[in-house]
Amino acid sequence: MSPTILVVGATGNTGRSVVQTLSKLLTSNEVLLSGHRILALTRSLNGEAAQKLAQLPGVEVAKQNWVEITPDWLRQHNVVRAFIASHNQPNQFAEESTFHLAALQAGVEYVVRISTTAANVRPDCPAYYPRTHWAIEALLSSPEFECLHWTSLQPNIFSPFYLASAAELVKNYRTTGKQTPLRLIASEDAPVSIVDADDVGTLAAHLLVEKDLAVHNKARYVVNGPEDIAGRQIVKMVEDLIGTQVEDVIYKDMSFAKQLASAAGGESRNVIMSIEHAAETAWDGQCTASTTSKEVLKLAAPKGTPSQAFKALLEL
């Protein structure tokens, strides 16, 4: 069996771009790993996204729950490099660390993982899930994991999530001629460099085909979009499209955390509600384009702008 690059969550937010870019890179005969195959994991082989990926050169799509992956499974599929974008539920550490341990025991060479907003990845972050990412990076940095090379990508908030409410207002206004309150995660004035998930996937793919793994080993790369945008600029984009002033804007709106807590079943409400604090570093001006790691700009600089993301949302 050919050496394998595993993509966990291949039909997810960043995974599709990872697979698409890897397929292009590995069939170009311009990279060292041109003889490798791509194993793209999905929860449904019948989905449209999975079927499209299966048509790409060098790609095999398989149905496999990644949290059940064992060292034997990785050996059987000859996995030498892997990409993982885990969920951010409270049990993330238990499940993702189990995957990394399996990779270590199976002799996997290199893992590229998706983290979260760099300014939040610290042990004292009020929001729970960035602390999980910090803990996973600490685990991977330990002497016991020395044989597993890894890179952690720390992308800022993804563009669709940041702009979705603005796009919905425009769509609804075009249909009904009426406005509802515009609820924005953004503050009115703080510049924030939101990022396109496809750009993050493209970067991950370029890392996965790098010849010298030592160059990026134990690296934590900050990944932002190419442009900053503040809340008032989002409002301006909406007003330009609807041809009138937005009547009611609610900045720094994190009310979705209550909805998540209500739907969390047996999870701690206190833990889930801590998400309310996740955007505070952005409101403080700590998440601008200027913080993007220079290695990211050199390897695969993000290109997707807020206006492009907004246009794409309106076309959905």
Side-chain angles (χ1 to χ4, degrees):
M1 182 181 295
S2 299
T4 299
I5 301 176
L6 177 68
V7 180
V8 170
T11 56
N13 197 29
T14 53
R16 279 176 292 183
S17 180
V18 175
V19 176
Q20 292 165 351
T21 307
L22 278 175
S23 178
K24 292 177 182 178
L25 291 172
L26 295 182
T27 55
S28 68
N29 293 320
E30 296 178 0
V31 298
L32 177 68
L33 307 182
S34 57
H36 290 49
R37 68 169 184 146
I38 304 160
L39 182 58
L41 300 190
T42 180
R43 289 178 292 184
S44 173
L45 295 174
N46 297 322
E48 180 181 357
Q51 292 180 359
K52 286 183 178 179
L53 292 179
Q55 297 174 7
L56 296 175
V59 176
E60 177 184 339
V61 179
K63 183 178 180 180
Q64 170 67 41
N65 186 348
W66 70 269
V67 302
E68 302 299 333
I69 286 176
T70 64
D72 284 343
W73 188 96
L74 292 168
R75 294 189 195 100
Q76 290 168 6
H77 291 83
N78 199 18
V79 174
V80 294
R81 301 188 180 193
F83 167 84
I84 179 170
S86 179
H87 58 75
N88 63 355
Q89 298 168 8
N91 64 337
Q92 177 189 348
F93 181 83
E95 294 189 336
E96 189 179 342
S97 64
T98 297
F99 174 84
H100 293 304
L101 180 59
L104 174 69
Q105 294 173 339
V108 173
E109 300 172 353
Y110 182 49
V111 173
V112 177
R113 65 177 300 274
I114 300 296
S115 181
T116 190
T117 304
N120 286 345
V121 184
R122 61 184 199 272
D124 63 341
C125 182
Y128 78 88
Y129 66 90
R131 297 197 303 270
T132 297
H133 284 291
W134 172 85
I136 290 172
E137 291 175 0
L139 175 141
L140 291 171
S141 299
S142 67
E144 290 80 359
F145 276 79
E146 188 67 30
C147 292
L148 177 63
H149 289 196
W150 59 276
T151 301
S152 196
L153 303 183
Q154 299 177 331
N156 202 0
I157 188 168
F158 291 123
S159 305
F161 188 60
Y162 211 65
L163 301 173
S165 60
E168 284 304 308
L169 188 150
V170 173
K171 289 180 181 180
N172 291 336
Y173 185 82
R174 287 173 172 174
T175 301
T176 67
K178 298 179 180 180
Q179 293 190 34
T180 54
L182 176 55
R183 297 179 176 274
L184 296 175
I185 297 173
S187 69
E188 182 175 4
D189 300 316
V192 177
S193 184
I194 56 180
V195 66
D196 188 323
D198 284 350
D199 284 339
V200 179
T202 297
L203 171 64
H206 278 83
L207 284 164
L208 285 165
V209 299
E210 281 285 280
K211 179 180 179 180
D212 187 357
L213 296 179
V215 173
H216 304 288
N217 185 31
K218 300 181 182 179
R220 301 165 176 84
Y221 291 147
V222 181
V223 190
N224 299 309
E227 296 178 7
D228 295 328
I229 189 168
R232 64 174 179 270
Q233 293 171 293
I234 299 175
V235 174
K236 178 65 165 51
M237 288 196 302
V238 171
E239 291 177 338
D240 287 345
L241 287 170
I242 66 175
T244 189
Q245 185 175 1
V246 174
E247 297 169 355
D248 186 7
V249 184
I250 303 170
Y251 293 108
K252 298 184 179 181
D253 180 72
M254 301 294 286
S255 59
F256 67 87
K258 294 180 181 179
Q259 300 172 7
L260 293 175
S262 298
E267 302 292 354
S268 164
R269 180 177 176 82
N270 185 43
V271 170
I272 303 300
M273 286 300 296
S274 70
I275 293 174
E276 288 184 315
H277 300 285
E280 290 174 355
T281 49
W283 301 337
D284 290 341
Q286 299 182 46
C287 304
T288 62
S290 64
T291 63
T292 298
S293 297
K294 64 179 185 301
E295 294 86 354
V296 171
L297 299 176
K298 181 179 180 180
L299 192 62
K303 299 177 181 178
T305 65
S307 61
Q308 291 171 335
F310 194 51
K311 181 180 178 181
L313 288 170
L314 293 172
E315 294 173 350
L316 291 178

